[in-house]
Amino acid sequence: MVAATALAEIDAHPAAGAALDIEQVSHAFDIDSAELPVLSDVSISVEPGEFVALLGPSGCGKSTLLRLVAGLDKPRSGTLREDEARITRPHPSRVVVFQDPTLFPWRTVWDNVALGLEAQGVLKSQRHCVDAALDLVGLSDFRTAYPHQLSGGMAQRVALARALVNDPKILILDEPLGKLDSLTRISMQAELVSLWQRKGFTTLLVTHDAEEALVLANRVIVFSDRPARVKADIRVDRPYPRHRGDPYLADLRRQILGLLGLDATW
Amino acid sequence: MSTYSLSDGLASGPPRVARAPLLASWVRESGVGILASVAWIAFGLSCLWWEDVGDWSRTHSLGIAALVIAAIALFGTVGADYLGSAGRGLRQRAPWLVALGAFLTLWEVATAKFAWLPLPFFPPPQSIIEVYTDDLPKLLDSVFASVKLQLGGYLIGATVGFLTGVSIGWSRAVGYWVHPVLRFIGPLPATAWLPIAFFTFPSSWSASTFLIALATGFPVTVLTWSGVASVSNAYYDVARTLGAKPSFLVLKVAIPAALPHVFVGLFMGLGSSFAVLVVAEMIGVKAGLGWYLQWAQGWAAYANMYAALIVTSLLCSGAITLLFSIRDRLLVWQKGTVKW
Ligand SMILES: Nc1ncnc2c1ncn2[C@@H]1O[C@H](COP(=O)(O)OP(=O)(O)OP(=O)(O)O)[C@@H](O)[C@H]1O
Ligand SMILES: [Mg+2]
């Protein structure tokens, strides 16, 4: 049972999000001629417009999976599909916010946010989208600043704006709020949820924070240690906006932390 | 905060206490300017007081000019407060004016007046002035020829070097073929090609242009290449997920990211191309400052040589300043760039 408001929003934009099918994907890296298995037979099927949080121990392969979804790397075996079409290369319908903001230091904040529109050759007609995205992350006053003049959290927000401006069907977030202070973080979480409800894109969010996952996502997937396997797939059927103190979420949180290897005293 | 309250207290304190620092600060600010003026008066008088040991026509005018400069230094630094930024600039440079005046006085006395330094080899200041006034057309012709040659060769070398560097850095196939050639030819000093270049090229001008381009091109190529090769993959990943095509990756990612390296190459190329320019003009081209230097030396016209040397140095320094200002404009996004 998805929250009524969210459902309404998603129904209002039926084409906004794309379905994502990850089918028996395994991946490995070669380090010094030894093979390091990173993903082991991962299958996840994501409905259009779902908000899926991925949780797992550090180094288990979450970022690797996101790179495969983005089309930046090819899996050793298995297939990934976006709306039935096989993912073989990057496409602006799947936009990634990487773990590092990786802003282009030679571009101003505004030009960084405009990057996607410029690359697709539509910047002229959509300049207002850049301004709107900057407004959204609260950095309109910094449009002419260079990345070295920003704080870590501000840089992360610019990276978020750079992704959102492209109107993606699948938004891929690799710990995008990790560097933010707790207050900005909570307000950005709320922004993210309302944005997702408004636009209806499918969201994949990697996070270390079980609470963040539970406040934001419809679904929480817990990975095992490397090589990552799907250890648990948990539905979070609570309406938005959610409250951190919600006993139902607290219960789920205990359950997830248990899966991640922390005992019940937490 | 504490410094503010301190100066507030000073201003509102008894006037007798306040006046002494005022005088002291006036002496501190204008003292060096007065000293500069004294040094230039000394230079002017040293020109006018004694008879020259040789036959130079500009001694009198030089002496007068020195006195005029002394007057400007005096009024300029004393009245700096009323002259705005010009006055401030003058005050800032006053110590240099002192040193320069003292040096010129010493030079004048040691050469033109008492010939402590052996004469034809150490010409006095007025004979160098004489070159600038009497041999001006020839000197200007030489400057023009040098600038033309240098500019043409440098622009060709920088452009070819940049394009080659980007292609090697970007394309494995180009790298496969060009890299060995670069390794074989690049480290050779461009001047080693002089003999071959001068008889294989149709004109000495085209030969020198080629050599200057070669001297410029090698460092520019290598540094552009290393710049492009060292661009972090993360930038390409970001651009590709946002829908960038290969041309966008080259023009809007690789090249801007490599630009700081490219400028290092451009600076190195500028330095080595100056060397080639002067040597090429001395040996093959019958024009330009290198040729002028050579010609002056042949005629034992040492004053002309120093005059040409000063002009050459100003031109090279000017070229580097120009390149720095272009770099500062293009790389504003970098923090902590060197001031030239
Ligand atoms: N390009 C690469 N070459 C070799 N090994 C890699 C590469 N990228 C990642 N790895 C390895 O794959 C494993 C998983 O990396 P990944 O970045 O996916 O972890 P993660 O789950 O995102 O961790 P974290 O939560 O700390 O970001 C790590 O052990 C890492 O060493
Ligand atoms: Mg990661």
Side-chain angles (χ1 to χ4, degrees), chain B residues 229-312:
Chain B
S230 67
V231 176
S232 160
N233 272 327
Y235 293 141
Y236 295 126
D237 287 347
V238 166
R240 283 170 61 209
T241 57
L242 293 174
K245 292 167 197 61
S247 62
F248 188 92
L249 295 182
V250 177
L251 297 175
K252 301 289 180 99
V253 183
I255 289 177
L259 221 49
H261 284 80
V262 174
F263 269 95
V264 175
L266 287 172
F267 279 109
M268 290 170 59
L270 196 58
S272 53
S273 67
F274 287 149
V276 175
L277 171 76
V278 171
V279 172
E281 284 177 343
M282 282 181 172
I283 291 180
V285 190
K286 294 275 167 281
L289 285 163
W291 168 80
Y292 190 97
L293 283 168
Q294 183 83 346
W295 166 85
Q297 198 239 357
W299 287 95
Y302 292 101
N304 297 57
M305 227 170 73
Y306 285 106
L309 217 57
I310 292 170
V311 172
T312 312

Coordinates of all heavy atoms in Angstrom, one line a residue, chain B residues 229-312:
Chain B
A229 N 45.9 13.4 -20.9 CA 46.0 12.0 -20.4 C 45.7 12.0 -18.9 O 45.2 11.0 -18.4 CB 47.4 11.4 -20.7
S230 N 46.0 13.1 -18.2 CA 45.8 13.1 -16.7 C 44.4 13.5 -16.3 O 44.1 13.7 -15.1 CB 46.9 13.9 -16.1 OG 46.7 15.2 -16.3
V231 N 43.5 13.8 -17.3 CA 42.1 14.2 -16.9 C 41.4 13.0 -16.2 O 41.4 11.9 -16.7 CB 41.3 14.7 -18.1 CG1 39.9 15.0 -17.7 CG2 42.0 15.9 -18.8
S232 N 40.9 13.3 -15.0 CA 40.3 12.2 -14.3 C 39.1 11.6 -15.0 O 38.3 12.3 -15.6 CB 39.8 12.8 -12.9 OG 38.8 12.0 -12.4
N233 N 39.0 10.3 -15.0 CA 37.9 9.6 -15.6 C 36.5 10.0 -15.1 O 35.5 9.9 -15.7 CB 38.0 8.1 -15.4 CG 38.9 7.5 -16.5 OD1 38.8 8.0 -17.7 ND2 39.6 6.5 -16.2
A234 N 36.5 10.5 -13.8 CA 35.3 10.9 -13.2 C 34.6 12.0 -14.0 O 33.4 12.0 -14.1 CB 35.5 11.3 -11.8
Y235 N 35.4 12.9 -14.6 CA 34.8 14.0 -15.4 C 34.1 13.4 -16.6 O 33.0 13.8 -17.0 CB 35.9 15.0 -15.8 CG 36.5 15.8 -14.7 CD1 37.8 16.1 -14.7 CD2 35.7 16.3 -13.6 CE1 38.4 16.8 -13.7 CE2 36.3 17.0 -12.6 CZ 37.6 17.3 -12.6 OH 38.2 18.0 -11.6
Y236 N 34.8 12.5 -17.3 CA 34.2 11.9 -18.4 C 32.9 11.1 -18.1 O 31.9 11.2 -18.8 CB 35.1 10.9 -19.1 CG 36.4 11.6 -19.7 CD1 37.6 11.1 -19.3 CD2 36.3 12.6 -20.6 CE1 38.8 11.7 -19.9 CE2 37.4 13.2 -21.1 CZ 38.7 12.8 -20.7 OH 39.8 13.4 -21.2
D237 N 32.9 10.4 -16.9 CA 31.7 9.7 -16.5 C 30.6 10.6 -16.3 O 29.5 10.3 -16.8 CB 32.0 8.9 -15.2 CG 32.9 7.7 -15.4 OD1 33.1 7.3 -16.5 OD2 33.4 7.2 -14.4
V238 N 30.8 11.7 -15.6 CA 29.8 12.7 -15.4 C 29.2 13.2 -16.7 O 28.0 13.1 -16.9 CB 30.3 13.9 -14.6 CG1 29.3 15.0 -14.6 CG2 30.6 13.5 -13.1
A239 N 30.1 13.6 -17.6 CA 29.6 14.1 -18.9 C 28.9 13.1 -19.7 O 27.8 13.4 -20.3 CB 30.8 14.7 -19.7
R240 N 29.4 11.8 -19.7 CA 28.7 10.8 -20.5 C 27.3 10.5 -19.9 O 26.4 10.3 -20.7 CB 29.6 9.5 -20.5 CG 30.7 9.7 -21.4 CD 31.7 8.5 -21.3 NE 31.1 7.2 -21.6 CZ 31.4 6.1 -21.0 NH1 32.4 6.0 -20.1 NH2 30.8 5.0 -21.4
T241 N 27.2 10.4 -18.6 CA 25.8 10.1 -18.1 C 24.9 11.3 -18.4 O 23.6 11.1 -18.4 CB 25.8 9.9 -16.6 OG1 26.4 11.0 -15.9 CG2 26.6 8.6 -16.2
L242 N 25.4 12.5 -18.6 CA 24.5 13.6 -18.9 C 24.3 13.7 -20.4 O 23.7 14.7 -20.9 CB 25.1 14.9 -18.4 CG 25.2 15.0 -16.9 CD1 25.9 16.2 -16.4 CD2 23.8 15.0 -16.3
G243 N 24.8 12.7 -21.2 CA 24.4 12.7 -22.6 C 25.5 13.4 -23.5 O 25.2 13.8 -24.6
A244 N 26.7 13.5 -23.1 CA 27.8 14.1 -23.9 C 28.2 13.2 -25.0 O 28.4 12.0 -24.8 CB 29.0 14.5 -23.0
K245 N 28.4 13.8 -26.2 CA 29.0 13.1 -27.3 C 30.5 13.2 -27.3 O 31.0 14.1 -26.6 CB 28.4 13.6 -28.6 CG 27.0 13.4 -28.8 CD 26.4 14.3 -30.0 CE 24.9 14.3 -29.9 NZ 24.5 14.9 -28.6
P246 N 31.2 12.3 -28.1 CA 32.7 12.4 -28.0 C 33.3 13.8 -28.3 O 34.2 14.2 -27.6 CB 33.1 11.4 -29.1 CG 32.0 10.5 -29.2 CD 30.8 11.2 -28.9
S247 N 32.6 14.5 -29.2 CA 33.2 15.9 -29.5 C 33.1 16.8 -28.3 O 33.9 17.6 -28.0 CB 32.4 16.5 -30.7 OG 31.1 16.7 -30.3
F248 N 32.0 16.6 -27.5 CA 31.8 17.4 -26.3 C 32.9 17.0 -25.3 O 33.4 17.8 -24.6 CB 30.4 17.1 -25.7 CG 30.0 18.0 -24.5 CD1 29.4 19.2 -24.7 CD2 30.3 17.6 -23.2 CE1 29.0 20.0 -23.7 CE2 30.0 18.4 -22.2 CZ 29.4 19.6 -22.4
L249 N 33.1 15.7 -25.2 CA 34.2 15.2 -24.2 C 35.5 15.8 -24.6 O 36.3 16.2 -23.6 CB 34.2 13.7 -24.3 CG 33.0 12.9 -23.8 CD1 33.3 11.4 -23.8 CD2 32.6 13.3 -22.4
V250 N 35.8 15.9 -25.8 CA 37.1 16.5 -26.2 C 37.1 18.0 -25.9 O 38.0 18.6 -25.2 CB 37.5 16.3 -27.7 CG1 38.8 16.9 -28.0 CG2 37.6 14.8 -27.9
L251 N 36.1 18.7 -26.5 CA 36.2 20.2 -26.5 C 35.8 20.8 -25.1 O 36.4 21.8 -24.7 CB 35.2 20.7 -27.5 CG 35.6 20.4 -29.0 CD1 34.5 20.9 -29.9 CD2 36.9 21.0 -29.3
K252 N 34.9 20.1 -24.4 CA 34.4 20.8 -23.2 C 34.9 20.1 -21.9 O 34.6 20.6 -20.8 CB 32.8 20.8 -23.2 CG 32.2 21.5 -24.4 CD 32.4 23.0 -24.2 CE 31.9 23.8 -25.4 NZ 30.6 24.4 -25.1
V253 N 35.5 18.9 -22.0 CA 36.0 18.3 -20.8 C 37.5 18.2 -20.9 O 38.2 18.8 -20.1 CB 35.4 16.9 -20.6 CG1 35.9 16.3 -19.4 CG2 33.9 17.0 -20.6
A254 N 38.0 17.5 -21.9 CA 39.5 17.2 -22.0 C 40.3 18.5 -22.1 O 41.2 18.7 -21.3 CB 39.8 16.3 -23.1
I255 N 39.9 19.3 -23.0 CA 40.7 20.5 -23.3 C 40.7 21.5 -22.1 O 41.8 21.9 -21.6 CB 40.4 21.2 -24.6 CG1 40.8 20.3 -25.7 CG2 41.0 22.6 -24.7 CD1 40.5 20.8 -27.1
P256 N 39.5 21.9 -21.6 CA 39.6 22.8 -20.4 C 40.3 22.2 -19.2 O 41.1 22.9 -18.5 CB 38.1 23.1 -20.1 CG 37.3 22.4 -21.1 CD 38.2 21.7 -22.0
A257 N 40.2 20.9 -19.0 CA 40.8 20.3 -17.9 C 42.3 20.3 -18.1 O 43.1 20.4 -17.1 CB 40.3 18.9 -17.7
A258 N 42.8 20.2 -19.3 CA 44.2 20.1 -19.6 C 44.9 21.5 -19.7 O 46.1 21.6 -19.8 CB 44.5 19.4 -20.9
L259 N 44.1 22.6 -19.7 CA 44.6 23.9 -20.0 C 45.7 24.4 -19.1 O 46.7 25.0 -19.6 CB 43.4 24.9 -20.0 CG 43.5 26.0 -21.1 CD1 43.7 25.3 -22.5 CD2 42.2 26.8 -21.1
P260 N 45.7 24.1 -17.8 CA 46.8 24.5 -17.0 C 48.1 23.9 -17.5 O 49.1 24.6 -17.5 CB 46.4 24.0 -15.6 CG 45.0 23.9 -15.6 CD 44.6 23.6 -17.0
H261 N 48.1 22.6 -17.9 CA 49.3 22.0 -18.4 C 49.7 22.6 -19.7 O 50.9 22.9 -19.9 CB 49.0 20.5 -18.7 CG 49.0 19.6 -17.5 ND1 47.9 19.5 -16.6 CD2 50.0 18.8 -16.9 CE1 48.2 18.7 -15.6 NE2 49.4 18.3 -15.8
V262 N 48.7 22.9 -20.6 CA 49.0 23.5 -21.8 C 49.8 24.8 -21.6 O 50.8 25.1 -22.3 CB 47.7 23.8 -22.6 CG1 48.0 24.6 -23.9 CG2 47.0 22.5 -22.9
F263 N 49.4 25.6 -20.6 CA 50.1 26.9 -20.4 C 51.5 26.7 -19.9 O 52.4 27.4 -20.3 CB 49.3 27.8 -19.5 CG 48.3 28.7 -20.2 CD1 47.0 28.3 -20.4 CD2 48.8 29.8 -20.8 CE1 46.1 29.1 -21.1 CE2 47.9 30.6 -21.5 CZ 46.6 30.3 -21.7
V264 N 51.7 25.7 -19.1 CA 53.1 25.4 -18.8 C 53.9 25.1 -20.0 O 55.1 25.6 -20.2 CB 53.2 24.1 -17.8 CG1 54.7 23.8 -17.6 CG2 52.5 24.5 -16.5
G265 N 53.4 24.3 -21.0 CA 54.1 24.0 -22.2 C 54.3 25.3 -23.0 O 55.3 25.5 -23.6
L266 N 53.3 26.2 -23.1 CA 53.4 27.5 -23.8 C 54.5 28.3 -23.2 O 55.3 28.9 -24.0 CB 52.1 28.2 -23.8 CG 51.0 27.6 -24.7 CD1 49.7 28.4 -24.4 CD2 51.3 27.7 -26.1
F267 N 54.7 28.3 -21.9 CA 55.8 29.1 -21.3 C 57.1 28.5 -21.7 O 58.0 29.2 -22.0 CB 55.6 29.2 -19.8 CG 54.6 30.2 -19.3 CD1 53.4 29.8 -18.8 CD2 54.9 31.5 -19.4 CE1 52.5 30.8 -18.4 CE2 54.0 32.5 -19.1 CZ 52.8 32.1 -18.5
M268 N 57.2 27.2 -21.5 CA 58.5 26.6 -21.9 C 58.8 26.8 -23.3 O 60.0 27.1 -23.7 CB 58.4 25.1 -21.6 CG 58.4 24.8 -20.1 SD 58.0 23.0 -19.7 CE 59.4 22.2 -20.6
G269 N 57.8 26.7 -24.2 CA 58.0 26.9 -25.6 C 58.5 28.3 -25.9 O 59.4 28.5 -26.8
L270 N 57.9 29.2 -25.2 CA 58.3 30.6 -25.4 C 59.8 30.8 -25.1 O 60.5 31.4 -25.9 CB 57.4 31.5 -24.6 CG 57.4 33.0 -24.9 CD1 56.9 33.2 -26.4 CD2 56.5 33.8 -24.0
G271 N 60.2 30.3 -24.0 CA 61.6 30.4 -23.6 C 62.5 29.8 -24.6 O 63.5 30.5 -25.1
S272 N 62.3 28.6 -25.0 CA 63.2 28.0 -25.9 C 63.1 28.6 -27.3 O 64.1 28.6 -28.1 CB 63.0 26.5 -26.0 OG 61.7 26.1 -26.2
S273 N 62.0 29.1 -27.7 CA 61.9 29.7 -29.0 C 62.6 31.1 -29.1 O 63.2 31.4 -30.1 CB 60.4 29.9 -29.5 OG 59.8 30.9 -28.6
F274 N 62.8 31.8 -28.0 CA 63.6 33.0 -28.0 C 65.0 32.7 -28.3 O 65.7 33.3 -29.1 CB 63.6 33.7 -26.6 CG 62.3 34.4 -26.2 CD1 61.8 34.5 -24.9 CD2 61.5 35.0 -27.2 CE1 60.7 35.1 -24.6 CE2 60.3 35.6 -26.9 CZ 59.9 35.7 -25.6
A275 N 65.5 31.6 -27.7 CA 66.9 31.2 -27.9 C 67.1 30.9 -29.4 O 68.1 31.4 -30.0 CB 67.2 30.0 -27.1
V276 N 66.1 30.2 -30.0 CA 66.3 29.8 -31.4 C 66.2 31.0 -32.3 O 66.9 31.2 -33.2 CB 65.2 28.8 -31.8 CG1 65.2 28.5 -33.3 CG2 65.3 27.5 -31.0
L277 N 65.3 31.9 -31.9 CA 65.1 33.2 -32.7 C 66.5 33.9 -32.8 O 66.9 34.3 -33.9 CB 64.1 34.1 -32.1 CG 63.9 35.5 -32.6 CD1 63.2 35.4 -34.0 CD2 63.2 36.4 -31.7
V278 N 67.1 34.2 -31.7 CA 68.3 35.0 -31.7 C 69.4 34.3 -32.5 O 70.1 34.8 -33.3 CB 68.7 35.3 -30.2 CG1 70.1 35.9 -30.2 CG2 67.7 36.2 -29.6
V279 N 69.5 32.9 -32.2 CA 70.6 32.2 -32.9 C 70.3 32.2 -34.4 O 71.2 32.4 -35.2 CB 70.7 30.8 -32.4 CG1 71.7 30.0 -33.2 CG2 71.2 30.8 -30.9
A280 N 69.1 31.9 -34.8 CA 68.7 31.9 -36.2 C 69.0 33.2 -36.9 O 69.6 33.3 -38.0 CB 67.3 31.5 -36.4
E281 N 68.7 34.3 -36.2 CA 69.0 35.6 -36.8 C 70.5 35.9 -36.9 O 70.9 36.6 -37.8 CB 68.3 36.7 -36.0 CG 66.8 36.7 -36.2 CD 66.1 37.8 -35.3 OE1 66.7 38.2 -34.3 OE2 64.9 38.1 -35.6
M282 N 71.2 35.4 -35.9 CA 72.7 35.6 -36.0 C 73.3 34.9 -37.1 O 74.2 35.4 -37.7 CB 73.3 35.2 -34.6 CG 73.1 36.2 -33.5 SD 73.9 35.6 -32.0 CE 73.7 37.0 -31.0
I283 N 72.8 33.7 -37.4 CA 73.4 32.8 -38.3 C 72.9 33.0 -39.8 O 73.7 33.2 -40.7 CB 73.3 31.4 -37.9 CG1 74.2 31.2 -36.6 CG2 73.8 30.4 -39.0 CD1 74.2 29.8 -36.1
G284 N 71.6 33.0 -39.9 CA 71.1 32.9 -41.3 C 70.3 34.1 -41.8 O 70.4 34.5 -42.9
V285 N 69.4 34.6 -40.9 CA 68.5 35.7 -41.3 C 69.3 37.0 -41.3 O 69.9 37.3 -40.3 CB 67.3 35.8 -40.4 CG1 66.2 36.7 -41.0 CG2 66.7 34.4 -40.2
K286 N 69.1 37.8 -42.4 CA 69.8 39.1 -42.4 C 68.9 40.2 -41.9 O 68.9 41.3 -42.5 CB 70.3 39.4 -43.8 CG 71.3 38.4 -44.3 CD 72.7 38.8 -43.8 CE 73.8 37.7 -44.0 NZ 73.7 36.7 -43.0
A287 N 68.3 40.0 -40.8 CA 67.4 41.0 -40.2 C 67.1 40.6 -38.7 O 67.4 39.5 -38.4 CB 66.1 41.2 -41.0
G288 N 66.6 41.5 -38.0 CA 66.2 41.2 -36.6 C 67.2 41.5 -35.6 O 68.3 41.9 -35.9
L289 N 66.8 41.4 -34.3 CA 67.7 41.9 -33.2 C 68.9 41.0 -33.1 O 70.0 41.5 -32.7 CB 66.8 41.9 -31.9 CG 65.8 43.0 -31.8 CD1 64.8 42.8 -30.8 CD2 66.6 44.3 -31.5
G290 N 68.7 39.7 -33.3 CA 69.9 38.8 -33.3 C 71.0 39.3 -34.3 O 72.2 39.3 -34.0
W291 N 70.5 39.6 -35.5 CA 71.4 40.0 -36.5 C 72.0 41.4 -36.2 O 73.2 41.6 -36.4 CB 70.6 40.2 -37.9 CG 71.3 40.9 -38.9 CD1 72.3 40.4 -39.7 CD2 71.2 42.3 -39.2 NE1 72.8 41.4 -40.5 CE2 72.1 42.6 -40.2 CE3 70.4 43.3 -38.8 CZ2 72.2 43.8 -40.8 CZ3 70.5 44.6 -39.3 CH2 71.4 44.8 -40.3
Y292 N 71.2 42.3 -35.6 CA 71.7 43.6 -35.1 C 72.8 43.4 -34.1 O 73.9 44.1 -34.2 CB 70.5 44.4 -34.5 CG 70.9 45.8 -34.3 CD1 70.5 46.8 -35.2 CD2 71.5 46.2 -33.1 CE1 70.8 48.2 -35.0 CE2 71.8 47.6 -32.8 CZ 71.4 48.5 -33.8 OH 71.7 49.8 -33.5
L293 N 72.6 42.5 -33.2 CA 73.6 42.2 -32.1 C 74.9 41.8 -32.8 O 76.0 42.2 -32.5 CB 73.1 41.1 -31.2 CG 72.1 41.6 -30.1 CD1 71.5 40.4 -29.4 CD2 72.8 42.5 -29.1
Q294 N 74.8 40.8 -33.7 CA 75.9 40.3 -34.4 C 76.6 41.3 -35.2 O 77.9 41.5 -35.2 CB 75.4 39.2 -35.4 CG 76.4 38.4 -36.1 CD 77.0 37.3 -35.3 OE1 76.8 37.3 -34.1 NE2 77.7 36.4 -35.9
W295 N 75.9 42.2 -35.9 CA 76.4 43.2 -36.7 C 77.2 44.2 -35.8 O 78.3 44.7 -36.1 CB 75.3 43.9 -37.4 CG 75.6 45.2 -38.0 CD1 76.2 45.4 -39.3 CD2 75.4 46.5 -37.5 NE1 76.3 46.8 -39.5 CE2 75.9 47.5 -38.4 CE3 74.9 47.0 -36.2 CZ2 75.9 48.8 -38.1 CZ3 74.9 48.3 -36.0 CH2 75.3 49.3 -36.9
A296 N 76.6 44.6 -34.7 CA 77.2 45.6 -33.8 C 78.5 45.0 -33.2 O 79.5 45.7 -33.1 CB 76.2 45.9 -32.6
Q297 N 78.5 43.7 -32.9 CA 79.7 43.1 -32.4 C 80.8 43.2 -33.5 O 82.0 43.5 -33.2 CB 79.4 41.7 -31.9 CG 80.4 41.2 -31.0 CD 81.1 39.9 -31.5 OE1 80.7 39.4 -32.6 NE2 82.1 39.4 -30.8
G298 N 80.4 42.9 -34.7 CA 81.3 42.9 -35.8 C 82.0 44.2 -36.0 O 83.2 44.3 -36.3
W299 N 81.3 45.3 -35.8 CA 81.8 46.7 -35.9 C 82.3 47.2 -34.6 O 82.6 48.4 -34.5 CB 80.8 47.6 -36.5 CG 80.5 47.3 -37.9 CD1 79.5 46.5 -38.5 CD2 81.2 47.8 -39.0 NE1 79.6 46.5 -39.8 CE2 80.7 47.3 -40.2 CE3 82.4 48.7 -39.1 CZ2 81.2 47.6 -41.5 CZ3 82.9 49.0 -40.4 CH2 82.3 48.4 -41.6
A300 N 82.4 46.4 -33.6 CA 82.8 46.8 -32.3 C 82.0 48.0 -31.8 O 82.5 48.9 -31.1 CB 84.3 47.2 -32.3
A301 N 80.7 48.0 -32.2 CA 79.8 49.1 -31.8 C 79.1 48.6 -30.5 O 78.0 48.2 -30.5 CB 78.8 49.4 -32.9
Y302 N 79.8 48.7 -29.4 CA 79.3 48.1 -28.2 C 78.1 48.8 -27.6 O 77.2 48.2 -27.1 CB 80.4 48.0 -27.1 CG 81.5 47.1 -27.5 CD1 82.7 47.5 -28.1 CD2 81.3 45.7 -27.5 CE1 83.7 46.6 -28.5 CE2 82.2 44.8 -27.9 CZ 83.4 45.2 -28.4 OH 84.3 44.4 -28.8
A303 N 78.0 50.1 -27.8 CA 76.8 50.8 -27.4 C 75.6 50.3 -28.1 O 74.6 50.1 -27.5 CB 77.0 52.3 -27.6
N304 N 75.7 50.1 -29.4 CA 74.6 49.5 -30.1 C 74.2 48.1 -29.6 O 73.0 47.8 -29.6 CB 75.0 49.3 -31.6 CG 75.2 50.7 -32.3 OD1 76.1 51.4 -31.8 ND2 74.5 51.0 -33.3
M305 N 75.2 47.4 -29.2 CA 74.9 46.0 -28.7 C 74.1 46.1 -27.4 O 73.1 45.4 -27.3 CB 76.3 45.3 -28.4 CG 76.3 43.9 -29.0 SD 78.0 43.3 -28.8 CE 78.1 43.0 -27.1
Y306 N 74.6 47.0 -26.5 CA 73.8 47.1 -25.2 C 72.4 47.6 -25.5 O 71.4 47.1 -24.9 CB 74.5 48.0 -24.3 CG 75.7 47.4 -23.6 CD1 77.0 47.7 -24.0 CD2 75.6 46.4 -22.6 CE1 78.1 47.2 -23.4 CE2 76.7 45.8 -22.0 CZ 78.0 46.2 -22.4 OH 79.0 45.6 -21.9
A307 N 72.3 48.6 -26.4 CA 71.0 49.1 -26.7 C 70.1 48.0 -27.2 O 68.9 47.9 -26.8 CB 71.1 50.2 -27.7
A308 N 70.6 47.2 -28.1 CA 69.8 46.1 -28.7 C 69.4 45.1 -27.7 O 68.3 44.5 -27.6 CB 70.5 45.5 -29.9
L309 N 70.4 44.8 -26.8 CA 70.2 43.8 -25.7 C 69.0 44.3 -24.8 O 68.2 43.5 -24.4 CB 71.5 43.7 -24.9 CG 71.8 42.3 -24.4 CD1 71.9 41.3 -25.5 CD2 73.1 42.3 -23.6
I310 N 69.0 45.6 -24.5 CA 68.0 46.1 -23.6 C 66.6 45.9 -24.3 O 65.6 45.5 -23.7 CB 68.2 47.6 -23.2 CG1 69.5 47.7 -22.3 CG2 67.0 48.2 -22.6 CD1 70.0 49.1 -22.1
V311 N 66.6 46.3 -25.6 CA 65.3 46.1 -26.3 C 64.9 44.7 -26.4 O 63.7 44.4 -26.1 CB 65.5 46.7 -27.8 CG1 64.2 46.4 -28.6 CG2 65.7 48.2 -27.7
T312 N 65.8 43.8 -26.6 CA 65.5 42.3 -26.7 C 64.9 41.9 -25.4 O 63.9 41.2 -25.4 CB 66.7 41.5 -27.0 OG1 67.4 42.1 -28.1 CG2 66.4 40.1 -27.4

